């Protein structure tokens, strides 16, 4: 009897060790797989699944790990591609990964620093400038004199005012203006300024482009916020850095990354509309959110929106946009929206542990 149980124990031991160290042992033995929902429980990460895109994400604080079924890699913190993943999607919808990868991910989450994670840079981009006046409108001043109103001046003053408010509120963040005087900047110079900022692991940034509108319809008025259509894919991942990877994989990776920016851009856009409405909603129209792939929005590799403050081609609105008091209100509106977004991003949604 005793010998039998000893043999059983020995067999058990062999089975377990061959499973655990399958790589060194029998080639045919299947790897030990770990359910990522269990991994979430063990590490305190939150597991999300995007049904339409087929993306699984484990998230804890600033740290994210993403998987898609049927591939042999996973994406660490939005940018770092790790190959050699063994995974399996069970019939009842459980996503399993190999033991070695699970150990790496566990370590990755354990190391997640409890320190602050947040928006470190706020890029404000007043449109046009210098030889490019942007939209031009006309209005009658108090003396009934016809005056021209340049978009480039309206947006610069608003951006500068907003920057001053944000700088006072956030001494620990950096507010970057793509221009702070009447100078001409190419579109790619604007996004280049933003994209060249080197972010630390716990830092993030947002991009807010500020414009004023024009229309052949002189009655058109109001503010609006544009962001990238969710289905639009920017080339966020440089193919050069993933030379060894099957090129079919890059679009999927881009989708994984884009999903993050799109969600943030929509949230930022919605908050800006609410806060602008709070400031000037009684004076002009809230034209709501718009979706468009403007160059600046498209090429800023971060959550980004474009605000149209109002129509310089509408006589009444041009009078408003020509007044410093009104631009102060618009600046306060942008400021409030950004603050609300940052509060939400850094606290409510659990980025700070
Ligand atoms: Zn413009």
């Amino acid at each position: 009897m005793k010998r039998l149980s000893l043999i059983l124990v020995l067999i058990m031991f062999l089975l377990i060790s061959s499973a655990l160290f399958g790589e060194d042992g029998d080639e045919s033995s299947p790897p030990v797989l770990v359910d990522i929902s269990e991994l979430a429980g063990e590490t305190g990460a939150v597991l999300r699944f995007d049904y339409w895109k087929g993306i699984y994400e484990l998230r804890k604080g600033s740290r994210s790990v993403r998987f898609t079924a049927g591939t042999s890699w996973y994406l660490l913190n939005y940018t770092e591609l790790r190959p050699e993943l063994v995974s399996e999607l069970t019939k009842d919808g459980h996503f399993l990964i190999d033991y070695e990868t699970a150990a790496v991910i566990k370590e990755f989450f354990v190391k997640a620093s409890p320190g602050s994670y947040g928006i470190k840079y706020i890029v404000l981009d007043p449109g046009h400038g210098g030889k490019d006046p942007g939209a031009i409108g006309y209005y009658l001043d108090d003396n009934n004199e016809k005056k021209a109103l340049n978009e480039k001046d309206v947006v610069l003053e608003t951006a500068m005012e907003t920057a001053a408010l944000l700088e006072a509120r956030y001494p620990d963040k950096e507010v970057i203006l793509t221009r702070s005087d009447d100078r001409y900047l190419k579109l790619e110079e604007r996004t280049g300024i933003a994209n060249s900022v080197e972010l630390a692991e716990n830092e993030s940034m947002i991009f807010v482009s500020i414009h004023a509108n024009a229309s052949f319809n002189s009655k058109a008025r109001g503010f609006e916020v544009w962001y990238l259509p969710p289905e639009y894919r920017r080339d966020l991942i440089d193919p050069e850095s993933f030379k060894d990877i099957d090129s079919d994989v890059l679009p999927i990776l881009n989708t994984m990354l884009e999903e993050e920016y799109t969600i943030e851009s929509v949230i930022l856009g919605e908050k800006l509309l609410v806060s602008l409405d709070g400031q000037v909603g009684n004076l002009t129209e809230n034209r709501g959110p718009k979706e468009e792939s403007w160059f600046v929005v498209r090429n800023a590799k971060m959550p980004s929106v474009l605000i149209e403050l109002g129509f310089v081609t509408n006589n009444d609105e041009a009078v408003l946009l020509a007044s410093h008091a009104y631009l102060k209100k618009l600046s306060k509106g942008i400021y409030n929206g950004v603050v609300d977004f940052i509060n939400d991003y850094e606290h409510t949604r659990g980025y700070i542990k």
Side-chain angles (χ1 to χ4, degrees), residues 32 126 164 170 178 197 215 236 248 276 298 332-333 343:
V32 177
Y170 297 118
T178 53
V197 172
S215 172
L236 298 166
D248 290 356
L276 282 165
R298 194 173 69 225
K332 192 79 199 300
N343 283 343

Side-chain angles (χ1 to χ4, degrees), residues 195-209:
N195 289 332
S196 65
V197 172
E198 296 266 339
L199 295 171
E201 195 199 339
N202 61 340
E203 294 173 351
S204 185
M205 70 194 299
I206 55 173
F207 185 92
V208 180
S209 195

